[in-house]
Amino acid sequence: MQSHNLGRSGIACASKRYGESSSRSSNRTSTTTALVFRPGYSAHQAINTVRRAKRGGYEYVVDLDIMSFFDEIPHELLMEKVHERITDGKVLTLIRGWLTAGVMEDDQFHETEVGSPQGGVISPLLGNIHLNHFDWGMKEKGFAVVRYADDAVVLCKTREQAEEAYAAAKMILEGELRLRMHLEKTKVVHFDEGFRFLGFDFWKDSLILPDTKVKSYKDKVRKITRRQQGDNLAEMIRKLNEVV
């Protein structure tokens, strides 16, 4: 199957990743499918990549849903992948200790045998390292993936290809990464049917912002521009640009 390139300004340009500076970096650390938690890249770029793919003839999507991703990352498998990029024993020990530190719940201590604390400082990085295998596995099979954290879609031009991508994703996520793909929420859809990715609704050629996001956006703008703010015009514009 021929590999797919989603365009110069899309995910194929994402050349810098966390692994490039590690002591055991390789050509495979420069994946072309993930836009997540890296300087200069954002969820908006992932969304725009999907829109460009639609205009480029990608009509079908495998809308992926990974069940309890951060809660179920297997420690040993994750540490193997971390060790491919880090050789410093002290750092590896620190990461393992952080993963297995346990949690307090209802005044009871619980050991953590799987998972990375969601909201933890390095959880996004560890999750990205774990899913890097998925990115490359799908790419090597010729599928175009757009992923941000654990939210991902596979873009295809035919339903037959999308069904193949579904099977490939299930094999990699469950068989190789020991995660669980939500069988009811993960589905093959046509753009005409619509799907949600990163909080936005894609439907036909349209990108729809849900009402909750519209309200949140308006609230942020209202807060920045209220008269009692006290900021000068330049500072207000700077804050508005961050929101917009």
Side-chain angles (χ1 to χ4, degrees):
M1 183 178 297
Q2 186 179 0
S3 181
H4 300 277
N5 187 333
L6 294 186
R8 181 175 179 79
S9 59
I11 52 178
C13 292
S15 61
K16 291 183 179 292
R17 284 182 60 83
Y18 53 84
E20 291 182 339
S21 59
S22 70
S23 58
R24 297 187 66 182
S25 63
S26 67
N27 291 335
R28 280 172 58 92
T29 58
S30 181
T31 182
T32 62
T33 57
L35 293 165
V36 52
F37 303 119
R38 292 175 295 130
Y41 297 97
S42 67
H44 291 291
Q45 286 176 298
I47 290 167
N48 288 334
T49 300
V50 175
R51 300 188 73 185
R52 282 193 297 272
K54 172 62 170 68
R55 293 194 294 267
Y58 291 80
E59 296 287 340
Y60 290 88
V61 170
V62 182
D63 184 9
L64 288 171
D65 187 283
I66 303 174
M67 295 180 65
S68 306
F69 171 66
F70 284 102
D71 293 334
E72 297 188 5
I73 299 176
H75 288 172
E76 291 306 318
L77 189 56
L78 172 60
M79 288 305 300
E80 287 177 12
K81 299 185 184 307
V82 171
H83 192 264
E84 292 175 0
R85 294 162 174 79
I86 300 174
T87 56
D88 189 320
K90 292 182 179 179
V91 175
L92 292 170
T93 299
L94 183 64
I95 293 174
R96 182 180 290 277
W98 185 80
L99 287 171
T100 58
V103 295
M104 290 292 295
E105 186 176 353
D106 297 329
D107 295 327
Q108 296 291 324
F109 176 78
H110 301 274
E111 294 184 353
T112 48
E113 298 178 355
V114 295
S116 179
Q118 195 163 1
V121 177
I122 63 171
S123 284
L125 174 61
L126 295 178
N128 212 26
I129 291 175
H130 197 62
L131 285 178
N132 192 49
H133 179 82
F134 170 76
D135 299 336
W136 278 101
M138 293 298 286
K139 180 187 177 185
E140 289 171 354
K141 293 178 184 297
F143 297 114
V145 178
V146 180
R147 178 174 67 81
Y148 192 89
D150 59 329
D151 202 350
V153 291
V154 188
L155 300 157
C156 304
K157 292 190 173 182
T158 66
R159 177 168 288 277
E160 180 182 12
Q161 185 189 58
E163 297 291 351
E164 293 176 4
Y166 180 102
K170 189 174 188 299
M171 179 183 68
I172 295 172
L173 290 173
E174 297 190 348
E176 299 176 16
L177 293 179
R178 285 186 270 163
L179 299 170
R180 290 188 298 155
M181 195 168 79
H182 200 301
L183 299 183
E184 293 182 2
K185 293 184 179 180
T186 299
K187 54 189 179 297
V188 173
V189 296
H190 192 277
F191 267 87
D192 287 353
E193 300 174 74
F195 61 95
R196 178 167 291 189
F197 179 54
L198 294 176
F200 288 83
D201 292 328
F202 291 81
W203 180 66
K204 295 185 176 181
D205 293 319
S206 301
L207 179 65
I208 303 170
L209 189 64
D211 291 341
T212 53
K213 283 190 173 289
V214 173
K215 183 180 183 303
S216 176
Y217 174 78
K218 287 182 177 179
D219 288 344
K220 289 178 181 178
V221 171
R222 192 176 295 113
K223 182 178 180 181
I224 293 171
T225 57
R226 69 177 185 268
R227 293 183 178 181
Q228 298 85 357
Q229 185 71 11
D231 292 331
N232 58 40
L233 182 59
E235 179 65 14
M236 183 181 297
I237 292 174
R238 184 189 68 78
K239 291 180 178 180
L240 282 172
N241 284 335
E242 291 178 354
V243 172
V244 175

